[in-house]
Amino acid sequence: MRIVLFIGLLSLSLFAKEVELPSELNAWKNLSYLQAAKNINDAKGASVSINVASVVGLINTPKVQYIVRPVKEGGTVSYGGIFQFEIKEKGTYRIALGNASWIDLIKDNKAVISVAHGGGPENSGIRKMVDYILDAGIYTLQLSAGGDSSTPLLVTKIK
């Protein structure tokens, strides 16, 4: 019986259809690694590149020194971190995550308001997507209240 089950699972994985992603999310298929910063002073070392997906290592939330208090901090067993990225061209940008961590986007010590949010394409591994209209400049991305010590992350321009 175990052999039959194994062969069945193997055949499903061999013939599984690859998920079609919109072009702006294609980078999701090639993940690098990036460790989150614990505070703003270390955030330059946690620099996110636009259109480059990474599995990001997160830190136990009580050890993170956020520059703006997160809307959802999470408890002592949650994970988060701080990242930075630079926008060179004004437009609409999407932050995609593989988990349900809370996203706070900060510019000039103020929260940036999102314009849309939703889930990712079915079976893509994208759990959450949040869109922002951004001007050129340096942004701080704060993740908090995450249930996992790592998650895929992508910041991409959509318009």
Side-chain angles (χ1 to χ4, degrees), residues 31 64 108 111 130:
L31 298 168
V64 180
D108 300 327
V130 182

Side-chain angles (χ1 to χ4, degrees), residues 4-16:
V4 172
L5 181 59
F6 176 76
I7 292 172
L9 290 173
L10 180 61
S11 65
L12 282 175
S13 66
L14 290 174
F15 299 107

Side-chain angles (χ1 to χ4, degrees), residues 31-137:
L31 298 168
S32 61
Y33 180 80
L34 180 64
Q35 179 61 44
K38 291 181 184 179
N39 57 54
I40 192 62
N41 295 329
D42 297 335
K44 286 186 181 181
S47 183
V48 173
S49 298
I50 305 302
N51 298 321
V52 176
S54 298
V55 172
V56 295
L58 301 175
I59 301 162
N60 187 250
T61 300
K63 295 178 181 177
V64 180
Q65 297 171 333
Y66 294 104
I67 57 172
V68 173
R69 186 177 182 152
V71 173
K72 292 191 179 180
E73 293 182 70
T76 59
V77 296
S78 67
Y79 296 91
I82 297 174
F83 304 89
Q84 281 191 332
F85 59 87
E86 181 177 7
I87 297 298
K88 295 183 179 181
E89 181 181 22
K90 181 179 180 172
T92 303
Y93 289 80
R94 175 169 290 156
I95 298 174
L97 284 178
N99 73 7
S101 292
W102 186 260
I103 298 171
D104 286 302
L105 189 59
I106 312 297
K107 184 174 186 214
D108 300 327
N109 293 322
K110 295 179 187 170
V112 179
I113 305 301
S114 64
V115 295
H117 64 280
E122 189 174 343
N123 299 320
S124 67
I126 300 172
R127 168 84 186 266
K128 180 179 197 175
M129 298 189 305
V130 182
D131 297 350
Y132 299 88
I133 297 173
L134 303 179
D135 292 320

